[in-house]
Amino acid sequence: MKNYLKIKTPPMKNRKRVFLEHDGAIDDILSQLLVLTMEDIELIGINVTPADSFLEPAVESAYKILQLFNQTDIPIGISEHNGTNAFPNAWRARPEIINALPMLINLPYDLDVYALPNATDLLIDRISAQEDPVTILITGPCSNLVSAMKKAPSIREKIKEVIWMGGAFRTQGNVQTYQHDGTAEWNVFWDPQSSKELFEMELPLVCIPLDVTNNVPVNKEFLSTLAKQSDYNLSNLAGQLWAMTIDTIPSYHYVYFMWDTLATSYLTLSEHFETEEVRAIVHNKPPNAGQTILSDEGFKLKIAKAVNKEIFYEYLFNQLKRNADIPLV
Ligand code: AGV
Ligand code: CA
């Protein structure tokens, strides 16, 4: 048995087990924070893929957020995948600012990032170690899950549901780059081959695509309301993280949405989403690599179409009415 399995405290029986796959962007770190506030969820592991981030700062943020909740026993894995279509460096560099925030900068940190387990193996080990099937929440590319499924196909029976912030089905994509026609969403586009294979695996997958995340841009009204409860230090931190997305690059062209946090809320708010069972494929070559296409010959999955956003905002305000579990200096 590996080290990180031994140190885990025994899980509380009736909590829903979740493995989080994220890619280190501000939105992803907020999602991790949100998951950790969920009383009915037990987080069993986190994989970090340096897609919309660089690896070292992303792992540092992931670890420091765990510290705020006194949960550094939750293992972190690092992805060995290199997407075919890299995120713009200007986006990848942004999250580094997270670790410089007053609430995080002085937290002790001496992790050897390169000694962390490989993401594929961590996912396999953590899922296999559970008695009951688990939920996998993916707020970045899906490459680690696909490589884990290929390496250990038997984990399928331990997967209750996969929630993926990914895709653009009946709306335009958010990829604007060379050799692309704009039809894809970035998490799918980063590794279109793995994305294609994920659909082909027909896991119990629900996509939270741009079709629904387009309803929840980060806006100042939300931030203003959140700021009124910043006496709770987790509200304060979340407000600062979201504030850093307001000047999204290049600003007039792009808007930062609550992509990943909306997908994360599906863990507890699923009944407030409208979903649809569809069949779809992922295209894997230019000019529309990463496009998710509805097709009768495609593979079965669910997609979210609509959400009650008042309930979503209310939920965020409530969850963030909390202080960190450790004293902060
Ligand atoms: O396509 C949405 C995904 C989400 O997982 N990411 C950001 C979220 O973490 C990529 C992305 C799209 N537009 C962006 C993105 C932007 N303007 N800045 C940074 N990342
Ligand atoms: Ca993300």
Side-chain angles (χ1 to χ4, degrees):
M1 193 147 74
K2 295 196 183 132
N3 241 353
Y4 52 80
L5 291 180
K6 270 191 287 186
I7 51 172
K8 190 84 191 90
T9 46
M12 279 157 67
K13 218 27 199 166
N14 51 1
R15 288 199 288 173
K16 182 168 169 177
R17 314 260 162 88
V18 173
F19 193 103
L20 173 62
E21 285 276 347
H22 77 55
D23 70 333
I26 292 175
D27 195 20
D28 298 80
I29 297 303
L30 276 157
S31 297
Q32 183 187 326
L33 194 155
L34 183 61
V35 172
L36 289 163
T37 67
M38 295 177 173
E39 303 78 8
D40 49 345
I41 301 279
E42 188 202 344
L43 189 56
I44 60 166
I46 299 175
N47 276 338
V48 177
T49 300
D52 204 356
S53 63
F54 291 108
L55 183 66
E56 296 79 2
V59 170
E60 182 174 339
S61 311
Y63 186 80
K64 287 187 165 178
I65 297 296
L66 288 179
Q67 279 186 61
L68 294 181
F69 290 83
N70 227 337
Q71 295 213 46
T72 50
D73 54 341
I74 295 174
I76 299 176
I78 54 169
S79 181
E80 58 190 357
H81 289 280
N82 299 300
T84 351
N85 301 302
F87 278 86
N89 275 343
W91 293 359
R92 297 184 67 195
R94 296 228 73 222
E96 179 137 31
I97 198 172
I98 295 172
N99 303 316
L101 290 176
M103 267 180 72
L104 302 180
I105 193 160
N106 291 325
L107 293 177
Y109 181 72
D110 64 353
L111 259 196
D112 176 1
V113 173
Y114 301 100
L116 292 175
N118 158 290
T120 305
D121 294 332
L122 182 69
L123 185 59
I124 294 171
D125 289 353
R126 294 303 287 144
I127 295 181
S128 314
Q130 310 303 318
E131 253 173 60
D132 299 318
V134 306
T135 300
I136 302 172
L137 169 65
I138 310 178
T139 60
C142 64
S143 319
N144 302 322
L145 172 57
V146 172
S147 54
M149 279 289 295
K150 285 184 182 168
K151 193 169 176 183
S154 64
I155 59 170
R156 175 185 284 269
E157 63 200 44
K158 288 289 177 67
I159 300 176
K160 185 164 153 209
E161 187 169 48
V162 178
I163 303 168
W164 187 23
M165 190 286 118
F169 291 86
R170 298 186 181 102
T171 185
Q172 69 184 79
N174 61 7
V175 171
Q176 298 186 352
T177 187
Y178 304 98
Q179 293 260 69
H180 205 276
D181 64 7
T183 51
E185 183 278 323
W186 263 103
N187 289 341
V188 185
F189 177 62
W190 191 75
D191 180 354
Q193 182 57 31
S194 291
S195 306
K196 178 173 185 283
E197 291 172 23
L198 177 70
F199 276 28
E200 290 167 2
M201 287 171 182
E202 289 199 324
L203 291 168
L205 170 67
V206 53
C207 280
I208 313 295
L210 299 185
D211 310 55
V212 62
T213 61
N214 281 341
N215 292 303
V216 289
V218 177
N219 65 45
K220 292 211 182 141
E221 191 194 335
F222 173 85
L223 293 188
S224 160
T225 310
L226 183 62
K228 291 177 185 145
Q229 59 180 58
S230 29
D231 279 355
Y232 294 101
N233 62 21
L234 292 184
S235 287
N236 189 18
L237 177 61
Q240 292 184 25
L241 289 167
W242 269 308
M244 294 181 323
T245 70
I246 291 289
D247 66 338
T248 285
I249 305 164
S251 65
Y252 290 102
H253 204 66
Y254 290 94
V255 175
Y256 209 94
F257 291 87
M258 294 176 159
W259 299 283
D260 296 346
T261 33
L262 182 68
T264 302
S265 78
Y266 187 84
L267 285 170
T268 24
L269 299 184
S270 59
E271 72 267 33
H272 301 288
F273 284 75
E274 188 191 330
T275 60
E276 181 185 349
E277 290 189 12
V278 297
R279 286 177 176 272
I281 54 161
V282 177
H283 198 79
N284 63 348
K285 289 183 220 65
N288 57 332
Q291 184 184 6
T292 46
I293 305 167
L294 296 172
S295 150
D296 290 342
E297 283 95 65
F299 304 92
K300 273 196 213 161
L301 72 148
K302 274 204 301 192
I303 59 175
K305 292 169 52 164
V307 63
N308 183 330
K309 61 178 188 175
E310 281 65 42
I311 288 186
F312 169 62
Y313 290 141
E314 204 50 48
Y315 181 70
L316 290 178
F317 293 135
N318 271 325
Q319 291 303 112
L320 294 169
K321 270 186 193 142
R322 256 188 81 152
N323 288 311
D325 295 314
I326 53 163
L328 293 164
V329 277

